[in-house]
Amino acid sequence: MNDAFRIHRRDLLGGLGAAAALSAFGYGPRAAMAQTASLRAAITGYGVVNTLDPAKASLIPEFYVIWSLFNGLLKFDDTMKIVPDLAESYRILEGGSIEFKLRAGVTFHDGSPLTADDVKFSLERLLDPATASPNASKVAAVDHIEVIDDLTVVVRTKTPFAPLLTFLTNARTGTQILPRKAFEAMGAEAFARKPVGTGPYKLASWDVGSGLKIEANEAYFGGAPTIKTVEIPLIAEEASGVTALLGNQIDLTSTVPTADVPQLMRNSAVTVFRQPGFNVRYISINLTKPPFNDVHFRRAVSMAFQREAMVQTVLFGEGEPLRGFFPPLLGANHTAAGHSVTGFDPAAAKEELAKSKYGAAEYPVEVLTWGGGWWKRFAEIFVAQVNQVLGTKFSVSVTDSNAAFARQQKGDFTAGVWGWLGMIDPDEYMGDIVHSAGWRNYGKFKNAEVDGLLEKARAELDPATRARLYNQAEALAIEEVPIIPCFCSNIHNLLRKNIKGFVQKPYSNFGDQFAHMSIV
């Protein structure tokens, strides 16, 4: 029995669910050798896209689509070097401001020309408190935007802000450029449903809960894409995505179940992309609610489970333990040795629990998770280990990913599995998550000294000095356990063999590649 058949049988029920969803969205098997101008690229592991407005987007699947519809001033090349995108060139001015020269002749999907005024509008909208953008922190250091002429714009900063170049890329930033006139004519709500960008693709249709279809922008400044349409079904279970691909219903997945990776790599019908990722996976905890409003209880829980065992049982070895805030790919910012409070030490965990004002079972804790894949397994393993070591009464609460995210945002949780796929700047891993004003600081951690170190690091342009400041901030914050770091996971994509041109980047990219791909 070959590997593909074993996967198909094991995931039969999930596969039937995926097949029904695919059928409802118009998908079905096609002949393996058939030539087609349409790519079927499934977003797997998620079942919802709420918005296609970059300023309002917060979920990974939203950006997977946004990257194909919009451009930023800058982008990451295949080696993760920052290079111009809508900008033709840029230069750093004294004090950290940046001047951009825009490409001439770029048009939006509606045919209107890209101008410096569109850049000004897009970035100022992020800054406007009325927008309530979850991505506002990306431009928080910007003082104002100065239009020099139609193709020249200067982003003026209050103080030097080292992450700014990273935050102006076409990645998970929200700084993608919108057309002022089209946005103002449509209004925010309509624009979020039918966006107008400069990207290689434009939105053709969107069936909420099922998927989207995008079509080639023949006037794209980078050249018309070879693939004329891309169908993007939403498949909530990763395993169902594998079944759909092996059944020739889709061509590409946005992720792969870690348990399937070894046998899929032996399957000659598919190509598996895998590499360490720019990500952190952790337990998000609410520091405003008992029992996690007690630092000793938090420390006890952090030391009561084995991260190495979690990597093997949750990820099947496709990752590595995390004992700080930074993934290993961040080099000098990553603390390989970790910290005592994030190591497995049952005796020390029980000592910390004895110092807590709460008994082990005094407050039963629901650990929020979703789906039936590794995120659910993540919660189950965590709960089982902590209960065994400490005698706590933790349980797993399963919902859908959208509900889990909404509850964390509102503070309507005690604990939950969570994670962040970031990029190359360390501020995303501490500034966003543990700074008192960080938009991912769902647990409401506050430490003025940590804030000060993070703000100093943001304004420091020397990489070595920045790394030292982040190391200091991490050492200080981790003792208070604002989150419970667990592991970093590898990133994966699964492709049919006839799909060429996909380049995987360590921040888990997707829609940015469609314009460069072909079907042979």
Side-chain angles (χ1 to χ4, degrees):
M1 185 181 294
N2 64 34
D3 292 330
F5 189 66
R6 277 199 296 269
I7 294 174
H8 181 80
R9 289 196 60 185
R10 191 198 64 213
D11 296 325
L12 179 59
L13 293 178
L16 289 173
L22 289 164
S23 177
F25 197 64
Y27 298 94
R30 67 181 178 212
M33 299 302 292
Q35 295 297 309
T36 178
S38 180
L39 176 74
R40 304 162 304 177
I43 295 176
T44 49
Y46 298 91
V48 66
V49 169
N50 294 313
T51 182
L52 292 176
D53 177 352
K56 304 297 283 187
S58 56
L59 299 178
I60 292 169
E62 294 164 353
F63 281 110
Y64 281 165
V65 182
I66 283 169
W67 295 333
S68 65
L69 305 177
F70 294 90
N71 296 90
L73 290 169
L74 306 168
K75 65 180 180 180
F76 292 111
D77 69 9
D78 293 351
T79 65
M80 288 300 292
K81 178 183 176 183
I82 294 175
V83 297
D85 193 7
L86 289 177
E88 184 176 72
S89 63
Y90 67 91
R91 65 188 180 105
I92 310 297
L93 306 179
E94 185 176 353
S97 296
I98 311 173
E99 179 187 82
F100 293 94
K101 293 285 187 180
L102 303 180
R103 296 181 188 273
V106 176
T107 58
F108 289 98
H109 296 155
D110 63 359
S112 62
L114 167 74
T115 69
D117 182 64
D118 296 308
V119 175
K120 176 181 173 68
F121 167 74
S122 301
L123 299 184
E124 286 183 344
R125 179 171 173 251
L126 275 182
L127 284 166
D128 185 353
T131 305
S133 172
N135 304 303
S137 63
K138 299 291 192 294
V139 292
V142 174
D143 183 67
H144 66 282
I145 315 296
E146 183 179 349
V147 172
I148 306 302
D149 57 44
D150 279 354
L151 295 178
T152 308
V153 62
V154 178
V155 179
R156 299 285 184 187
T157 55
K158 303 167 188 174
T159 59
F161 186 60
L164 187 56
L165 284 178
T166 295
F167 293 162
L168 292 176
T169 61
N170 185 27
R172 253 180 312 278
T173 57
T175 58
Q176 287 79 6
I177 305 305
L178 285 57
R180 178 197 287 270
K181 291 180 180 178
F183 183 92
E184 290 179 342
M186 297 170 67
E189 186 174 344
F191 188 90
R193 295 293 307 166
K194 197 171 183 180
V196 178
T198 55
Y201 289 88
K202 50 190 177 182
L203 184 66
S205 62
W206 180 2
D207 185 352
V208 175
S210 294
L212 310 93
K213 184 176 181 179
I214 57 178
E215 58 188 14
N217 173 15
E218 298 295 335
Y220 181 54
F221 68 88
T226 300
I227 295 174
K228 299 307 178 185
T229 61
V230 183
E231 299 162 337
I232 309 174
L234 301 173
I235 302 177
E237 296 296 336
E238 294 175 351
S240 299
V242 172
T243 303
L245 189 137
L246 294 175
N248 195 21
Q249 291 181 295
I250 59 174
D251 303 305
L252 167 67
T253 67
S254 62
T255 187
V256 179
T258 54
D260 291 345
V261 170
Q263 59 186 21
L264 285 169
M265 292 184 71
R266 298 192 298 268
N267 189 327
S268 61
V270 300
T271 301
V272 180
F273 283 82
R274 64 189 287 268
Q275 64 172 302
F278 276 118
N279 62 64
V280 293
R281 314 299 190 181
Y282 56 91
I283 304 297
S284 179
I285 48 180
N286 193 333
L287 277 62
T288 71
K289 292 183 177 183
F292 290 113
N293 60 353
D294 182 280
V295 67
H296 298 293
F297 193 93
R298 300 197 298 270
R299 289 174 183 164
V301 172
S302 180
M303 293 187 287
F305 70 97
Q306 191 174 36
R307 289 158 175 83
E308 293 77 7
M310 186 174 278
V311 168
Q312 294 304 315
T313 54
V314 174
L315 301 180
F316 297 89
E318 289 291 315
E320 56 185 287
L322 183 69
R323 295 183 58 192
F325 298 128
F326 302 107
L329 285 179
L330 280 183
N333 297 283
H334 173 66
T335 307
H339 306 272
S340 59
V341 74
T342 54
F344 180 54
D345 191 333
K350 291 173 183 176
E351 289 176 7
E352 283 293 333
L353 184 61
K355 298 175 187 176
S356 172
K357 60 185 177 183
Y358 301 121
E362 186 175 348
Y363 283 93
V365 171
E366 284 189 349
V367 178
L368 201 60
T369 188
W370 62 89
W374 71 269
W375 288 102
K376 180 173 181 284
R377 191 162 61 248
F378 179 8
E380 290 170 342
I381 296 300
F382 170 74
V383 163
Q385 289 193 68
V386 173
N387 284 346
Q388 181 177 4
V389 170
L390 296 179
T392 47
K393 290 186 177 179
F394 286 14
S395 61
V396 176
S397 176
V398 183
T399 183
D400 63 82
S401 58
N402 208 35
F405 177 59
R407 286 184 59 182
Q408 294 223 29
Q409 281 186 308
K410 295 175 183 177
D412 179 25
F413 77 107
T414 303
V417 299
W418 205 243
W420 170 233
L421 281 161
M423 292 174 290
I424 64 173
D425 197 275
D427 193 67
E428 295 181 278
Y429 300 88
M430 280 202 71
D432 279 3
I433 297 172
V434 299
H435 189 284
S436 59
W439 81 273
R440 293 179 182 273
N441 184 359
Y442 303 133
K444 305 303 180 184
F445 173 71
K446 293 182 180 180
N447 183 302
E449 190 175 354
V450 171
D451 283 356
L453 286 167
L454 293 177
E455 289 159 12
K456 189 174 180 180
R458 289 170 179 166
E460 176 57 59
L461 300 181
D462 176 66
T465 303
R466 284 192 83 206
R468 286 194 292 272
L469 289 167
Y470 282 114
N471 291 158
Q472 292 173 32
E474 179 185 67
L476 185 63
I478 202 75
E479 287 300 311
E480 295 190 53
V481 196
I483 63 172
I484 302 176
C486 296
F487 54 82
C488 302
S489 57
N490 291 345
I491 60 170
H492 307 89
N493 294 96
L494 183 65
L495 290 75
R496 294 185 59 78
K497 280 290 187 183
N498 64 329
I499 307 302
K500 305 298 180 183
F502 182 82
V503 177
Q504 186 186 69
K505 298 175 186 177
Y507 63 87
S508 187
N509 58 321
F510 197 62
D512 61 317
Q513 294 300 299
F514 298 159
H516 314 296
M517 295 170 63
S518 61
I519 304 171
V520 299

